[in-house]
Amino acid sequence: MQDSGWKARLDILRDAVKRNMLDKLVGHGWEASIVREVAAGEYVVVKASRGGAERSAAVLYSSATSNNVYKQLAGEVSVIFFNGQPYMVESFAMGVSIPVKPIDDFQPFLIEWNRESSTGKFAPTTTQAEETSLEELQAPRRVLLSETPIEAVWARLAQLKSATLARKMVDRRAQLESLSLEPSTIVSKGEGVAFALRNATDYFSAIDRRNVSQRVLNLYYGTMSFAFAEMLASPGGPQTLSELEATTKKGHGLYTHDGLDDRFESLAIGALVSGFFPSWVKSMTANSLVAAKRKPDGLDALKALPVESWLTMEQLFSRIPEVADLFEDIFEGKPSWVTPAYDQESNGRHHRATTTYALLIDESGRMTMDDIAAFPGAIREIIQVSSRSSASHFRVAIDHPESSIWWDALQLHHSPFKRHALMLPLFGTINEYRATCLVLLYALSILVRYRPSLWRQIQEGELDHFRSLIETFLSAVERILPEQFLEKITGQSISVHQPGSFFS
């Protein structure tokens, strides 16, 4: 039992040393490590070197450590730190002439060590630092500021309507991914990106908000054009725009079916194995799309297909967090998304855990634990906990051994209207919000073109509550998709904010 106590305290001490010392030292180009751990005295010794300079320090589990240990360490290191709050430091460290400080006070020592190990105005470089910079080579996060954020997004997209700038973007992405493209390939891909974005811009900019029918069609074909640009911009994607155009000759890769009845919410939308949509999905995920070989010719044929291969119109809208309030008012079904939140009470103070407890919040209050189990990701230990609101709270354990941040283990959707949402996959494997939007736009476009009797009831008849839902969804598409496609096309993380905002 005593041994296990030492081990637990050493684990805590190692975590504090890594967080407060080692990570900072390595970040400033030092080669640093714990060279000795002593369980009996509950301390570790750290050594660091940079540019020929060497430094050493000891870190105690507690300031209330034997005076003999302090004196022993004083002859070996230049500074002694202790973890936790100070307790009778002067008494325990009596007779020790070197500094004795809390580990939280390491920053001034780091600054001094950096100054002493530098020559002139330049910090010494290390092999370790150079290797890290090469391994972590990636596109920088781009911050766009505008009083109207969507205008900043479109301004950046407009630059890539230039074939010259699009070619440079394609070349840069290939270099970042360590791929070598032929000059002719860079030219053809760049021109394809520019032409596709010009089409997307024409469709999105031609929207007449008074005409919902035309708005649906323009957004559908505009989103397809964005998807063309995304695929062409990828270094491993198609080389020419004509290759992508050939996929559409096999159809759009989607179908609709009346479903169980001819109501709007029952309309079924499914994926096919050939055509544009499955080609796009293949470029964004390694998982296989659950799809049908051909459109079912009757209700029995539809029911015989894998349940993941098709959804109803209601199920598609349930995957759009931005229309949540209208969804709850209009439909009786459950939403297909939850809001993840850190569970402060369940996690305690462990800062470097590889499993974190989180709350998955169903704002509608309609979900059960079985519904939560269907969400993707390393989710386990599901239990419903009490809530002070009508929302349902489910506590889950999320394993994230490869990342210190728990939400990196979840494929979350982010938007200006809904900061974080975890959604059920589409057609078994697709977690991309823009793909869900395209499928929903496709279904709406079918109603506009081929089901005027139902569409007119939605526009000006007794089904006009669906019009409010559709218009809210279209507004979300107009704001969110251009930004998402800009990220995918450029391979850069985009952050768009108003000047002076908290996030700018």
Side-chain angles (χ1 to χ4, degrees):
M1 181 65 69
Q2 189 175 17
D3 287 344
S4 64
W6 285 345
K7 290 178 181 178
R9 287 191 288 272
L10 278 176
D11 285 342
I12 294 172
L13 185 55
R14 284 192 209 100
D15 179 70
V17 170
K18 183 179 185 302
R19 187 174 64 254
N20 291 282
M21 290 186 66
L22 297 182
D23 288 350
K24 292 182 178 180
L25 286 164
V26 171
H28 284 265
W30 290 80
E31 294 184 1
S33 63
I34 295 174
V35 297
R36 191 166 83 253
E37 298 177 348
V38 179
E42 293 183 329
Y43 68 84
V44 299
V45 175
V46 173
K47 288 194 176 180
S49 62
R50 186 181 86 157
E54 295 186 353
R55 296 292 182 271
S56 61
V59 186
L60 307 174
Y61 178 78
S62 167
S63 62
T65 299
S66 168
N67 182 251
N68 291 333
V69 174
Y70 275 100
K71 289 182 177 179
Q72 174 194 335
L73 292 172
E76 181 181 349
V77 300
S78 58
V79 57
I80 298 174
F81 295 102
F82 56 85
N83 191 37
Q85 297 299 312
Y87 176 72
M88 298 178 63
V89 178
E90 296 81 2
S91 175
F92 284 106
M94 184 179 297
V96 174
S97 58
I98 64 172
V100 178
K101 298 288 183 180
I103 196 171
D104 292 341
D105 290 350
F106 174 64
Q107 185 68 19
F109 289 88
L110 174 63
I111 294 171
E112 183 63 19
W113 291 3
N114 285 343
R115 185 189 65 79
E116 293 172 351
S117 62
S118 301
T119 302
K121 293 186 176 182
F122 299 96
T125 58
T126 65
T127 303
Q128 179 183 2
E130 291 171 359
E131 290 177 350
T132 299
S133 64
L134 289 174
E135 291 172 358
E136 295 182 355
L137 180 63
Q138 58 182 334
R141 182 178 181 86
R142 182 175 293 274
V143 178
L144 305 179
L145 297 179
S146 174
E147 292 293 346
T148 308
I150 189 60
E151 292 181 359
V153 171
W154 279 112
R156 178 71 176 126
L157 286 166
Q159 297 173 21
L160 297 176
K161 293 194 296 184
S162 161
T164 299
L165 294 178
R167 286 195 295 269
K168 290 183 177 181
M169 180 272 296
V170 170
D171 189 27
R172 176 187 58 78
R173 282 196 59 180
Q175 293 182 40
L176 289 171
E177 297 183 25
S178 300
L179 294 176
S180 178
L181 298 180
E182 293 292 331
S184 59
T185 300
I186 294 174
V187 170
S188 64
K189 288 173 77 68
E191 288 181 350
V193 169
F195 293 164
L197 285 180
R198 292 176 196 178
N199 262 10
T201 302
D202 287 346
Y203 280 120
F204 269 72
S205 62
I207 291 170
D208 181 354
R209 291 182 175 274
R210 295 168 299 178
N211 188 330
V212 181
S213 300
Q214 195 61 51
R215 194 176 173 195
V216 166
L217 296 175
N218 282 1
L219 287 176
Y220 173 60
Y221 287 107
T223 300
M224 277 191 66
S225 296
F226 269 133
F228 277 18
E230 174 189 332
M231 295 171 72
L232 285 162
S234 172
Q239 296 186 8
T240 65
L241 187 56
S242 59
E243 289 181 54
L244 281 175
E245 292 170 346
T247 65
T248 62
K249 294 178 182 178
K250 299 178 182 179
H252 290 193
L254 297 164
Y255 69 85
T256 61
H257 187 283
D258 285 346
L260 299 179
D261 50 53
D262 59 357
R263 294 184 303 159
F264 171 81
E265 58 265 44
S266 302
L267 181 71
I269 305 93
L272 297 171
V273 296
S274 61
F276 162 73
F277 184 74
S279 298
W280 183 33
V281 170
K282 187 177 180 180
S283 72
M284 67 174 74
T285 177
N287 298 322
S288 298
L289 178 70
V290 182
K293 292 183 179 180
R294 60 185 179 86
K295 177 180 176 178
D297 54 9
L299 183 57
D300 290 339
L302 178 69
K303 291 180 177 180
L305 292 174
V307 67
E308 298 92 348
S309 70
W310 61 275
L311 302 97
T312 65
M313 190 71 86
E314 178 178 347
Q315 290 171 328
L316 280 174
F317 273 110
S318 75
R319 284 165 167 79
I320 307 297
E322 290 77 12
V323 301
D325 54 341
L326 282 168
F327 180 87
E328 291 181 32
D329 288 341
I330 294 173
F331 300 108
E332 298 296 326
K334 302 172 183 178
S336 299
W337 62 274
V338 289
T339 301
Y342 183 74
D343 188 357
Q344 184 69 49
E345 294 182 1
S346 299
N347 286 291
R349 294 188 174 184
H350 202 311
H351 298 282
R352 306 292 292 183
T354 56
T355 296
T356 298
Y357 288 100
L359 295 175
L360 299 184
I361 303 170
D362 164 32
E363 297 178 4
S364 73
R366 299 175 181 178
M367 290 189 187
T368 66
M369 290 194 293
D370 288 337
D371 297 321
I372 299 300
F375 282 90
I379 297 172
R380 56 185 179 81
E381 296 183 35
I382 302 169
I383 187 171
Q384 186 166 0
V385 296
S386 61
S387 168
R388 296 180 180 178
S389 67
S390 59
S392 296
H393 288 204
F394 300 89
R395 188 180 68 219
V396 301
I398 299 174
D399 295 321
H400 49 99
E402 298 179 0
S403 174
S404 61
I405 304 175
W406 61 274
W407 60 78
D408 284 347
L410 305 175
Q411 191 168 348
L412 300 180
H413 163 61
H414 311 278
S415 84
F417 310 107
K418 186 67 183 176
R419 289 195 59 192
H420 309 294
L422 177 65
M423 296 182 295
L424 288 175
L426 184 74
F427 302 138
T429 62
I430 308 171
N431 292 107
E432 303 291 347
Y433 178 84
R434 63 194 187 283
T436 301
C437 288
L438 183 132
V439 173
L440 189 42
L441 287 168
Y442 168 82
L444 293 172
S445 75
I446 294 297
L447 293 181
V448 170
R449 290 177 291 175
Y450 305 119
R451 297 288 302 278
S453 59
L454 178 58
W455 184 247
R456 298 328 304 181
Q457 286 293 319
I458 293 171
Q459 291 307 291
E460 57 260 346
E462 61 182 14
L463 300 180
D464 59 357
H465 50 290
F466 289 123
R467 174 171 179 152
S468 298
L469 177 72
I470 292 168
E471 289 183 329
T472 303
F473 164 66
L474 297 179
S475 295
V477 167
E478 290 164 1
R479 172 59 185 90
I480 298 169
L481 290 201
E483 183 175 342
Q484 288 197 352
F485 277 111
L486 176 59
E487 285 194 325
K488 296 301 178 181
I489 292 167
T490 62
Q492 292 180 314
S493 177
I494 304 295
S495 180
V496 191
H497 306 290
Q498 293 180 317
S501 70
F502 178 80
F503 298 100
S504 63

